[in-house]
C-alpha cells in the first residue's frame, strides 16, 4: 500500500556512508592524473550522483592498481574495500558487499587490533547489510560489537548513528518500544553535539508513534524533525524534504489535515528537484504521495497522472 512504502522511504536515508581516499582521510579534491586516488575520488563523485554502476567500475579500477603496487594487507586496500562495500550495498549485491567489508575488517584487525574505530565502522556497515536482509538478530550482534568499540573510544557521535540504526532494526522486527528507546538515545546525543542531526531519530520516532496509533506524539516528533533542520543554514537539505514528505503524508492520511499535508508535499518536491533534478527515487516517491492525496480527494484522473509521473521519474 502506498502509505506503508512512503513511511519506510525515510529509513533509506539514515545511514551515513563515509568514503576514504588513498590516505585514509575523507574525500579530498580529485587528482588530475591517472592514479588509484584519482579513480577512487571519481568513484565517490559518481556514487554521490547516484551512478552506482560507474562508481563500482571506478573503485574496481582503483583497486586493480593498488593490488599491483601494494601488499595484500595494505591499509590503503581496506579503504577501497570499504567503498566497494558501500556501492555494492546500493546495487543490492549484498553478498559481494559483505565480502568487501570482510576484507576491509581483516586488514584493519591486522594493523590495529580489535578495538579500532575503523573496525567498528565495518561492523556497523555489516550490521546494516544484515538488517536489510532482515537477519535482525545477526545485525544486532554486529551493532553491539561496533557499539563497544565506539564507547571505548569515546565517540559518542558515532554511537548516536549506531543507536539510530539499532532503532531501525528493532522497528523492522516490530519491537516498537525498543526502537523508541534507541531513537531517543540517538536524539539526546545529537541534540548535544549537532541539533541538525537530531532530525533523523526524531523523524523515526514519529514513525514509531504513528504505527502504534499515538498520533499526538507522532505529530510532535514530525514537527521536531522539521524544526531541527529548518533552524539551520541549510534550508534545501534533502533530509528536510524527506521529513516534509513524511509529515505531509501523515497529515493527509492520519492527521485530518489533507490540504496542509499537500502543501508540505509540494515543498518537499521543490527541495528534491533542487538536489536531484527531475528523476530519482525521492522524486518518484513524492509524486506517488501527491497522487495518493488526489486519489483520497476523489480526483482520480489527476491521481493517475501523478502515479504515471512517478513511474517515469524512477525509470
Amino acid at each position: 500500500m502506498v502509505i506503508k512504502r512512503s513511511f519506510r522511504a525515510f529509513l533509506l536515508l539514515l545511514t551515513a556512508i563515509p568514503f576514504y581516499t588513498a590516505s585514509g582521510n575523507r574525500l579530498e579534491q580529485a587528482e588530475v592524473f591517472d592514479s588509484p586516488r584519482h579513480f577512487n575520488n571519481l568513484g565517490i563523485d559518481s556514487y554521490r550522483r547516484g551512478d552506482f554502476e560507474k562508481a563500482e567500475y571506478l573503485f574496481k579500477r582503483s583497486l586493480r592498481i593498488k593490488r599491483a603496487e601494494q601488499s595484500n594487507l595494505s591499509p590503503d586496500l581496506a579503504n577501497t574495500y570499504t567503498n566497494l562495500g558501500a556501492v555494492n550495498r546500493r546495487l543490492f549485491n549484498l553478498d559481494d558487499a559483505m565480502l568487501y567489508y570482510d576484507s576491509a575488517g581483516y586488514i584493519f584487525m591486522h594493523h590495529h587490533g580489535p578495538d579500532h574505530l575503523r573496525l567498528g565502522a565495518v561492523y556497523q556497515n555489516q550490521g546494516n547489510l544484515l538488517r536489510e536482509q532482515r537477519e535482525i538478530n545477526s545485525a544486532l550482534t554486529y551493532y553491539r560489537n561496533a557499539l563497544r568499540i565506539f564507547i571505548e573510544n569515546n565517540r559518542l557521535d558515532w554511537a548516536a548513528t549506531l543507536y539510530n540504526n539499532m532503532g531501525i532494526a528493532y522497528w523492522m522486527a516490530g519491537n516498537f518500544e525498543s526502537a523508541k528507546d534507541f531513537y531517543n538515545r540517538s536524539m539526546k546525543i545529537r541534540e548535544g553535539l549537532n541539533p541538525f542531526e537530531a532530525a533523523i531519530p526524531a523523524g523515526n520516532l514519529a514513525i514509531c508513534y504513528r504505527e502504534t496509533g499515538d498520533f499526538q506524539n507522532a505529530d510532535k516528533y514530525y514537527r521536531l524533525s522539521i524544526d531541527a533542520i529548518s533552524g539551520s543554514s541549510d534550508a534545501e537539505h534533502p533530509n528536510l524534504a524527506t521529513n516534509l514528505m513524511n509529515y505531509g503524508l501523515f497529515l493527509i492520511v492520519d492527521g485530518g489535515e489533507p490540504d496542509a499535508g499537500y502543501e508540505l508535499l509540494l515543498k518537499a518536491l521543490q527541495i528534491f528537484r533542487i538536489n536531484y533534478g527531475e528523476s530519482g527515487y525521492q522524486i518518484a516517491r513524492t509524486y506517488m504521495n501527491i497522487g495518493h492525496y488526489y486519489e483520497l480527494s476523489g480526483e482520480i484522473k489527476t491521481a493517475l497522472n501523478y502515479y504515471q509521473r512517478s513511474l517515469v521519474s524512477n525509470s
Side-chain angles (χ1 to χ4, degrees):
M1 185 175 176
V2 174
I3 300 169
K4 284 286 185 182
R5 292 199 302 270
S6 300
F7 278 101
R8 286 182 181 274
F10 180 82
L11 300 181
L12 299 176
L13 303 176
L14 291 177
T15 305
I17 304 291
F19 291 99
Y20 298 93
T21 59
S23 63
N25 296 320
R26 296 295 177 96
L27 177 61
E28 301 166 356
Q29 185 176 0
E31 303 293 338
V32 296
F33 48 84
D34 205 32
S35 70
R37 176 177 292 179
H38 174 62
F39 290 123
N40 188 69
N41 288 348
L42 288 176
I44 294 169
D45 289 338
S46 295
Y47 181 99
R48 289 180 172 169
R49 292 195 305 271
D51 190 347
F52 303 130
E53 291 183 354
K54 184 175 181 180
E56 183 190 29
Y57 165 78
L58 290 164
F59 289 145
K60 283 184 173 180
R61 193 162 179 183
S62 174
L63 183 64
R64 282 196 297 271
I65 298 172
K66 290 179 180 181
R67 280 175 168 170
E69 297 176 349
Q70 303 172 22
S71 76
N72 289 334
L73 291 175
S74 169
D76 196 14
L77 285 176
N79 299 327
T80 304
Y81 286 136
T82 299
N83 293 345
L84 278 164
V87 77
N88 273 273
R89 177 187 174 197
R90 295 300 187 189
L91 290 168
F92 301 102
N93 301 327
L94 301 186
D95 290 339
D96 288 344
M98 184 65 79
L99 289 174
Y100 282 123
Y101 283 131
D102 279 339
S103 297
Y106 182 82
I107 294 173
F108 291 141
M109 178 80 78
H110 175 79
H111 286 281
H112 305 296
D115 303 319
H116 196 269
L117 278 170
R118 296 287 295 281
L119 184 60
V122 168
Y123 289 151
Q124 178 165 216
N125 284 324
Q126 290 180 306
N128 292 340
L129 288 172
L130 291 164
R131 186 192 74 207
E132 288 167 8
Q133 296 176 80
R134 296 194 173 273
E135 297 181 29
I136 302 301
N137 289 334
S138 296
L140 289 170
T141 297
Y142 276 90
Y143 286 150
R144 292 183 187 112
N145 286 334
L147 182 61
R148 174 189 60 80
I149 293 172
F150 297 161
I151 297 299
E152 287 179 0
N153 285 274
N154 197 31
R155 288 304 301 263
L156 292 180
D157 51 341
W158 291 32
T161 299
L162 183 58
Y163 284 142
N164 188 71
N165 284 326
M166 293 178 77
I168 297 172
Y170 281 113
W171 174 78
M172 292 177 68
N175 187 340
F176 298 122
E177 292 308 310
S178 292
K180 291 174 191 175
D181 176 46
F182 281 99
Y183 290 146
N184 270 309
R185 295 188 200 188
S186 177
M187 191 168 67
K188 287 178 181 178
I189 294 172
R190 288 178 166 180
E191 284 175 339
L193 297 176
N194 184 353
F196 176 91
E197 293 187 355
I200 294 175
N204 288 340
L205 273 166
I207 292 170
C208 276
Y209 280 115
R210 174 195 168 268
E211 295 203 4
T212 55
D214 187 345
F215 296 153
Q216 183 175 354
N217 271 317
D219 187 89
K220 169 187 172 181
Y221 282 102
Y222 276 127
R223 290 177 181 273
L224 285 174
S225 75
I226 292 169
D227 291 344
I229 302 178
S230 300
S232 73
S233 59
D234 194 351
E236 297 175 350
H237 196 283
N239 281 1
L240 175 59
T242 300
N243 294 350
L244 289 168
M245 180 181 69
N246 287 335
Y247 186 38
L249 188 60
F250 168 78
L251 291 176
I252 291 167
V253 175
D254 299 308
E257 300 180 52
D259 292 339
Y262 172 73
E263 292 300 322
L264 293 182
L265 293 182
L266 294 181
K267 290 180 181 179
L269 181 62
Q270 181 182 13
I271 296 172
F272 280 141
R273 281 173 169 166
I274 291 171
N275 286 274
Y276 305 116
E278 290 295 330
S279 62
Y281 180 82
Q282 294 88 345
I283 298 292
R285 181 59 59 193
T286 312
Y287 280 143
M288 181 176 289
N289 291 336
I290 293 173
H292 191 57
Y293 163 79
Y294 280 111
E295 182 180 353
L296 292 176
S297 301
E299 299 183 43
I300 304 303
K301 186 176 181 180
T302 304
L304 290 173
N305 177 265
Y306 275 101
Y307 289 149
Q308 180 66 30
R309 292 172 75 175
S310 175
L311 291 172
V312 171
S313 63
N314 201 35
S315 61

